[in-house]
């Protein structure tokens, strides 16, 4: 059946056109009930449909078998309830799905996942195309009212349809809505309807599910005083007008970790003026939460403030103690130099909430039998959240997840609800789960849809694969990686050739051969963006069959690779070959091959898809031992020596061009084989072979970047490292002055030369400290699309162009680069998304976010394992160097452990010492002892477990004594 709707529309040019929209209606859309014989069989798709005999929780309101049918608002706000394993057999209407998709992409994704879960028996019913459930919008009826009516019509049709099924137990459809008017109309029309709360409270065996109910209206959860604390938010329509006219500024709200009464708003747009606005005080913060998009009104200049150097943590239990907050706000208003004042504003409205589920712990109320408690998030930038739960005794000492529902004007804290219990605080698995969730690292097992895209085992190379590949299995290829590495992306070879040159090849796992554009595996890899390496586990970007098996370039297994080949001139040309029939198994690679002379000057570069056989998988130490050995002269060792010699020349050239050699203390944990607890903590020792591999990876990345940019000037995925603003270097320049050293920062080359000269015969570690400090001044390197930017320069590498090609097993950016390179050399075909610069720009945005989050997660993992290490050590005394000086503390680095920590001089319950801070030197005088940057000190290190949620390494100054 065909219905149509006709309306008139005015074009931009002013002409009036007639538009006819056709809408097809069908009679053969199944209801989804397994027991139904009236409908045609359900087509294959996600989920298993509704059960013939609905299982799930028993309800006192609905004792008989029933299906649930929720409306749009219930699905949007109560998704945590619907995801619970207890809730099964739910009809999700097309009307509801479409509204959810328009209003919340995250909730839409979650409900689609639930519909696809065969254990949940959720069924998506296409009511908008069913002849008996489709309705037209009536004259004067709003779209919202029309959709509510469509949902009720579908609920009524279901009940009448299911009555026709010849079954002893009649199945009923229960309509769930929190809309009072919608519920009343449903009851008038003879539809059984309940609110979500009524239905959940009726579940006989699941009383705890009530805790997961979202508080959608603030009625009943308002604090008793009813006192208005916050100003009213301006409606969105007025905010948009104000932003357009320049009255308000739009930006991203960033809360402070150290001061809960201060935040910064980063203003969107290109204007340099008022880019960063300070917000101070509870009322000015006005219920904004970290990462919200907010509208800000600038205050008059005489109300501007300076960023506070005071540390304030929200640790009070009294929700109504606003006077105490005002006292704390007064602490912020200390006299400051006029030059330190910054643009200051107040939040007047919320444009977009970016709330997510938050991990943390319950701060149990001291009132006996209380249901209302405060939840303290693990992230100090998130305010505490008020929740109601009957499980407080059970949840005490547990890591839990809570979601925010709303934040009324008369509540000091936002309202929320309990989502789930993760486990005991301090437990290794629980804490790992917390850090993955808090850093938004996708870590769920790969779905069946993703796994179905993997090649069937046993896998072999076909004749078709061989057509476009060069057989390089005769080459003496080897890989050099950290100990225990199984996801080996890259391998190298170096050999003399007949014309006196040296050929160097970088061979990279050809992951793009297995991950085809647009399939489920590709979409999942793009979403994850990167593999995340924690201290004890690895969260793979691609399934293990690829990361540790088919794509990993392990020795004595042929692999597919991409290869860059280099030839280098030598006095004695000799070409070595191997009978590759001895190696029956094979793998795929993308190879980059250069021809060089003995000065490491590139004569030719070529790229080819290839097949290789790695003859050795070495650690950095094993490769170094071969290079240094006087007795080993086999082909692999000869290849390594040639690579090492060339790498030194390449590195010198880079540094001469202005590339920076920076330093960052990295640590390695030695784990107990049984308990997996850290038993030793050391800084990573870097060898010549680390630098050797790095040089050829850098060279391959530069070569590929140039190639894909030449072929695709608008669509190349590149990586740039912006130059830091001059102000970033202030702390470095001041610190160097304390040792009578001058650091020039006009260019990367000037900086590199200054660092090379900055040495002290009496203080050999000084240069390392300066390089560590320089690292802190740097900007973040980012991915970008060449057609959307004109600044390609990589500041740290002093390279005019750069990309990532060498790690496709662990970085999705490299997979895109492989696809671009394959098209450039005619080894693969293109597809629309690959040459869409706007889609590439969006992808880069996600990749930059995922890489940043992975970095933070890795640091959090190191911090947690450091705490575990010192937990059993008691008090440890070690040498340290001062890195930074603060107003009431110094930040020190302990070289032995690569550990950084803060030594505070103010402690609760102890008299405060006299502190004198000098920002110019910089130095801090504690009583009569002056501490300066780079001073050598002794500290005691211990674990402070007084706050179970925020355990930390505590450091106390021992020498000099203060």
């Amino acid at each position: 059946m065909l219905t149509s709707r006709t309306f008139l529309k005015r074009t931009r040019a002013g002409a009036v056109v007639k538009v006819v929209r056709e809408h097809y209606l069908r009679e053969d859309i199944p209801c989804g009930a397994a027991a139904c014989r009236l409908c045609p069989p359900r087509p294959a798709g996600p989920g298993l449909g509704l059960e013939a005999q609905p299982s799930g929780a028993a309800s006192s309101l609905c004792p008989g078998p029933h299906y649930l049918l929720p409306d749009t608002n219930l699905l949007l706000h109560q998704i945590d309830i619907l995801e619970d394993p207890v809730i099964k057999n739910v009809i999700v209407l097309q009307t509801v799905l479409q509204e959810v998709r328009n209003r919340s992409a995250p909730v839409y994704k979650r409900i689609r996942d639930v519909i696809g879960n065969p254990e949940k028996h959720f069924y998506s019913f296409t009511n908008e195309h069913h002849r008996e459930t489709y309705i037209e919008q009536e004259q004067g009826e709003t779209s919202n009212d029309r959709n509510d009516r469509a949902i009720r019509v579908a609920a009524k049709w279901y009940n009448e349809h299911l009555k026709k099924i010849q079954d002893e137990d009649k199945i009923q459809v229960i309509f769930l809505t929190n809309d009072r008017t919608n519920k009343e109309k449903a009851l008038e029309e003879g539809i059984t309807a309940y609110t979500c709360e009524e239905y959940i409270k009726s579940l006989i065996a699941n009383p705890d599910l009530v805790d997961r109910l979202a508080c959608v209206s603030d009625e009943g959860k308002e604090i008793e005083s009813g006192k208005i604390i916050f100003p009213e938010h301006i409606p969105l329509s007025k905010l948009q007008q104000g932003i357009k006219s320049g009255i308000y500024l739009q930006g991203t709200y960033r809360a402070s970790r150290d001061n809960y009464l201060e935040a910064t708003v980063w203003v969107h747009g290109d204007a340099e003026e008022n880019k960063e606005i300070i917000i101070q005080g509870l009322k000015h913060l006005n219920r904004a939460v970290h990462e919200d998009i907010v509208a800000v009104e600038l205050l008059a200049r005489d109300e501007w403030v300076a960023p506070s150097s005071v540390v304030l943590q929200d640790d009070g239990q009294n929700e109504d103690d606003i006077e105490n907050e005002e006292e704390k706000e007064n602490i912020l208003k200390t006299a400051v130099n006029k030059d330190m004042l910054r643009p200051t504003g107040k939040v007047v409205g919320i444009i977009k909430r970016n709330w997510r589920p938050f991990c943390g712990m319950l701060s149990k109320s001291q009132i006996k039998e209380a249901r209302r408690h405060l939840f303290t998030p693990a992230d100090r930038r998130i305010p505490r959240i008020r929740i109601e739960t009957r499980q407080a005794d059970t949840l005490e000492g547990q890591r839990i997840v809570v979601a925010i529902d709303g934040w009324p004007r008369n509540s000091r804290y936002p309202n929320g609800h309990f989502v789930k219990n993760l486990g005991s605080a301090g437990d290794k698995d629980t804490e790992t789960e917390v850090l993955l969730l808090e850093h938004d690292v996708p870590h769920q097992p790969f779905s069946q849809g993703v796994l179905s895209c993997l090649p069937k085992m046993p896998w072999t190379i076909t004749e078709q694969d061989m057509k476009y590949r060069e057989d390089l299995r005769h080459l003496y290829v080897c890989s050099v990686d950290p100990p225990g590495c199984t996801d080996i992306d890259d391998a190298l070879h170096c050999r003399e050739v007949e014309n006196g040159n040296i050929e160097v090849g970088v061979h990279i796992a050809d992951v793009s051969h297995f991950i085809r554009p647009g399939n489920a595996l590709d979409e999942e890899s793009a979403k994850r963006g990167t593999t995340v390496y924690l201290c004890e586990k690895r969260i793979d970007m691609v399934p293990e069959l690829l990361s540790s098996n088919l794509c990993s370039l392990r020795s004595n297994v042929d692999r597919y690779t991409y290869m860059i080949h280099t030839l280098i001139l030598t006095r004695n040309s000799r070409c070595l070959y191997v009978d590759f029939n001895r190696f029956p198994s094979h793998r795929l690679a993308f190879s980059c091959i250069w021809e060089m002379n003995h000065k490491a000057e590139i004569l030719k570069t070529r790229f080819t898809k290839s097949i290789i056989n790695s003859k050795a998988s070495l650690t950095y130490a094993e490769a170094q031992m071969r290079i240094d050995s006087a007795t080993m002269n086999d082909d692999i060792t000869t290849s390594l020596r040639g690579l090492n010699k060339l790498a030194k020349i390449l590195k010198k050239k880079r540094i001469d061009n202005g590339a920076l050699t920076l330093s960052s203390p990295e640590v390695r944990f030695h784990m107990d084989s049984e308990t997996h607890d850290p038993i030793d903590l050391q800084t990573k020792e870097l060898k010549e072979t680390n630098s050797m591999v790095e040089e050829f990876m850098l060279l391959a990345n530069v070569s590929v970047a140039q190639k894909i940019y030449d072929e695709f000037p608008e669509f190349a995925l590149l990586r740039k490292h912006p130059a830091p603003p001059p102000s970033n270097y202030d702390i470095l320049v001041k610190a160097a002055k304390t040792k009578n050293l001058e650091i020039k920062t006009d260019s990367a080359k000037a900086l590199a030369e200054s660092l090379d000269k900055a040495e002290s015969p009496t203080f050999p570690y000084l240069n390392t400290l300066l390089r560590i400090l320089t690292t802190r001044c740097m900007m973040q390197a980012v991915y970008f699309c060449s057609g959307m930017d004109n600044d390609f320069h990589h500041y740290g590498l002093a390279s005019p162009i750069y990309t990532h090609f060498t790690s496709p097993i662990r970085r999705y950016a490299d997979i895109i680069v492989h696809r671009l390179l394959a098209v450039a050399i005619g080894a693969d075909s293109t597809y629309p998304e690959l040459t869409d610069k706007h889609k590439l720009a969006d992808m880069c945005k996600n990749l930059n976010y995922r890489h940043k989050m992975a970095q933070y997660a890795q640091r959090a993992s190191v911090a947690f394992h450091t705490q575990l290490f010192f937990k059993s050590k008691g008090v440890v005394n070690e040498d340290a160097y001062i890195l930074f000086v603060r107003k009431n503390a110094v930040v020190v680095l302990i070289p032995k452990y690569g550990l950084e920590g803060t030594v505070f001089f103010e402690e609760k319950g102890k008299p405060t010492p006299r502190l004198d801070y000098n920002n110019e030197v910089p130095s801090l005088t504690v009583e009569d002892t002056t501490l300066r940057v780079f001073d050598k000190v002794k500290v005691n290190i211990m674990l402070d477990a007084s706050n179970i949620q925020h355990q930390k390494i505590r450091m106390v100054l021992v020498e000099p004594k203060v």
Side-chain angles (χ1 to χ4, degrees), residues 656-877:
D656 289 346
N657 285 336
L660 297 173
T661 306
L662 303 181
S663 183
S664 181
E666 290 188 67
V667 297
R668 182 182 295 281
F669 292 92
H670 294 272
M671 303 292 184
D672 184 289
S673 57
E674 290 181 11
T675 64
H676 297 286
D677 286 337
I679 52 175
D680 196 11
L681 174 60
Q682 297 173 339
T683 50
K684 289 182 183 176
E685 184 189 350
L686 297 179
K687 300 184 181 294
E688 266 187 10
T689 45
N690 290 78
S691 178
M692 176 190 80
V693 173
E694 183 186 18
E695 285 308 314
F696 286 107
M697 296 306 114
L698 293 175
L699 189 61
N701 287 335
V702 171
S703 297
V704 171
Q706 193 60 58
K707 177 68 176 176
I708 62 172
Y709 178 64
D710 290 344
E711 292 287 333
F712 305 104
E714 290 288 302
F715 316 117
L717 192 155
L718 303 175
R719 188 165 175 82
K720 68 174 180 177
H721 182 213
S727 59
N728 278 30
Y729 290 120
D730 289 351
I731 193 160
L732 172 68
V733 172
K734 284 180 184 178
K737 267 186 186 172
T738 64
K739 297 297 177 186
N740 298 317
L741 296 170
E742 186 186 5
I743 299 290
K744 293 180 180 175
T745 59
D746 328 37
S747 65
K749 189 171 173 64
L751 176 60
E753 287 171 354
S754 299
L755 289 170
D756 288 342
K757 291 174 188 171
E759 297 208 349
S760 168
T762 57
F763 188 2
Y765 198 64
L766 175 63
N767 192 264
T768 304
L769 288 170
L770 283 166
R771 291 181 192 275
I772 289 170
L773 214 52
T774 307
T775 307
R776 309 297 164 87
C777 303
M778 292 296 120
M779 303 291 283
Q780 191 83 29
V782 290
Y783 296 110
F784 69 101
C785 173
S786 59
M788 305 290 278
D789 208 325
N790 50 21
D791 175 21
F792 293 8
H793 191 72
H794 197 293
Y795 181 80
L797 297 174
S799 176
I801 194 165
Y802 191 68
T803 193
H804 272 163
F805 162 78
T806 54
S807 295
I809 292 177
R810 60 186 178 88
R811 290 188 307 233
Y812 188 76
D814 302 52
I815 292 176
I816 296 297
V817 170
H818 275 226
R819 288 174 182 169
L820 288 164
L821 184 59
V823 175
I825 65 169
D828 207 342
S829 54
T830 186
Y831 57 99
E833 288 78 8
L834 196 63
T835 52
D836 184 329
K837 62 184 180 183
H838 296 287
K839 286 190 177 175
L840 276 173
D842 288 342
M843 184 188 293
C844 289
K845 192 176 176 182
N846 177 60
L847 293 175
N848 291 329
Y849 170 73
R850 291 294 177 201
H851 278 261
K852 183 175 70 175
M853 288 295 108
Q855 211 172 35
Y856 292 161
Q858 287 155 11
R859 287 178 197 165
S861 180
V862 168
F864 174 64
H865 281 79
T866 304
Q867 290 167 14
L868 288 179
F869 172 72
F870 283 104
K871 192 175 184 179
S872 58
K873 295 289 177 187
V875 179
V876 178
N877 184 270

Side-chain angles (χ1 to χ4, degrees), residues 350-492:
I350 309 295
I351 292 161
K352 186 188 174 192
R353 288 289 193 190
N354 272 322
W355 293 342
R356 59 176 175 83
F358 300 104
C359 301
M361 294 183 73
L362 195 70
S363 303
K364 194 180 165 192
S365 172
Q366 291 164 0
I367 302 166
K368 201 177 177 185
E369 307 261 324
R371 282 190 190 176
R372 186 183 293 154
H373 307 271
L374 280 177
F375 163 83
T376 305
D379 187 342
R380 291 188 185 274
R381 295 169 299 186
I382 306 300
R384 303 169 100 193
I385 302 165
R386 188 147 38 83
I387 68 168
E388 284 190 15
T389 177
R390 296 158 180 75
Q391 307 175 64
D393 292 335
T394 311
L395 297 178
E396 199 173 13
Q398 302 286 298
R399 289 282 201 177
I400 63 173
V401 178
V402 160
I404 297 178
D405 298 325
W407 196 341
R409 292 174 61 200
N410 59 353
S411 173
R412 169 65 186 84
Y413 298 110
N415 295 324
H417 65 273
F418 167 75
V419 176
K420 65 177 172 181
N421 184 356
L422 297 174
S424 300
D427 174 76
K428 204 183 299 180
D429 290 340
T430 302
E431 296 301 332
T432 300
E433 180 72 9
V434 167
L435 76 86
L436 290 171
L437 288 170
E438 280 298 290
H439 295 99
D440 194 17
V441 175
H443 60 287
Q444 66 281 5
F446 289 101
S447 70
Q448 206 51 52
V450 169
L451 297 175
S452 67
C453 299
L454 295 172
K456 302 292 179 279
M457 299 300 286
W459 171 83
T460 56
I461 296 174
T462 64
E463 282 185 24
Q464 188 65 23
D465 295 329
M466 294 293 290
K467 275 185 183 177
Y468 304 101
R469 292 187 184 272
E470 205 171 317
D471 196 332
L472 302 176
R473 288 176 289 186
H474 58 282
L475 296 176
Y476 280 93
V477 173
C478 70
S479 61
V480 185
D481 292 279
C485 182
T486 59
D487 54 343
I488 301 172
D489 287 287
D490 54 87
L492 298 154

Side-chain angles (χ1 to χ4, degrees), residues 556-570:
N556 292 319
V557 181
D558 299 340
R559 308 284 177 186
Y560 278 133
T561 68
Y562 248 134
M563 168 173 178
I564 301 179
H565 219 116
T566 306
L567 294 175
I568 303 181
L569 289 170
T570 61

Side-chain angles (χ1 to χ4, degrees), residues 107-147:
V107 174
Y108 179 74
K109 168 75 170 66
R110 287 168 73 179
I111 196 63
R112 293 299 320 183
D113 288 345
V114 175
I115 291 169
N117 181 352
E119 293 175 7
K120 291 282 286 173
H121 297 282
F122 274 49
Y123 179 65
S124 175
F125 177 62
T126 318
N127 65 305
E128 295 289 353
H129 289 278
H130 194 290
R131 192 169 65 82
E132 293 184 49
T133 56
Y134 171 75
I135 60 164
E136 293 275 5
Q137 187 171 344
E138 294 174 353
Q139 198 167 1
E141 188 178 39
T142 66
S143 296
N144 192 50
D145 288 344
R146 180 263 170 207
N147 288 343

Side-chain angles (χ1 to χ4, degrees), residues 861-919:
S861 180
V862 168
F864 174 64
H865 281 79
T866 304
Q867 290 167 14
L868 288 179
F869 172 72
F870 283 104
K871 192 175 184 179
S872 58
K873 295 289 177 187
V875 179
V876 178
N877 184 270
E878 285 296 341
D879 288 338
Y881 293 97
I882 296 175
L883 267 186
F884 303 102
V885 174
R886 305 283 188 233
K887 282 190 175 180
N888 61 346
V890 291
V891 178
V892 299
L893 173 74
I894 296 152
K896 181 178 176 181
Y897 299 124
L899 181 64
E900 207 176 293
T902 306
V903 178
F904 288 98
F905 297 105
E906 294 171 336
E907 289 186 61
K908 279 184 182 176
K910 291 190 178 180
T912 303
R914 190 175 73 255
L915 301 173
D916 183 17
Y917 174 69
N918 184 336
N919 184 43

Side-chain angles (χ1 to χ4, degrees), residues 937-962:
V937 295
K938 268 195 181 296
V939 294
N940 279 342
I941 313 162
M942 66 210 80
L943 179 67
D944 179 1
S946 57
N947 181 339
I948 191 167
Q949 162 126 288
H950 294 117
Q951 293 189 38
K952 59 187 177 187
I953 299 296
R954 184 163 168 259
M955 295 187 184
V956 178
L957 194 66
V958 178
E959 288 178 24
K961 199 166 178 63
V962 294

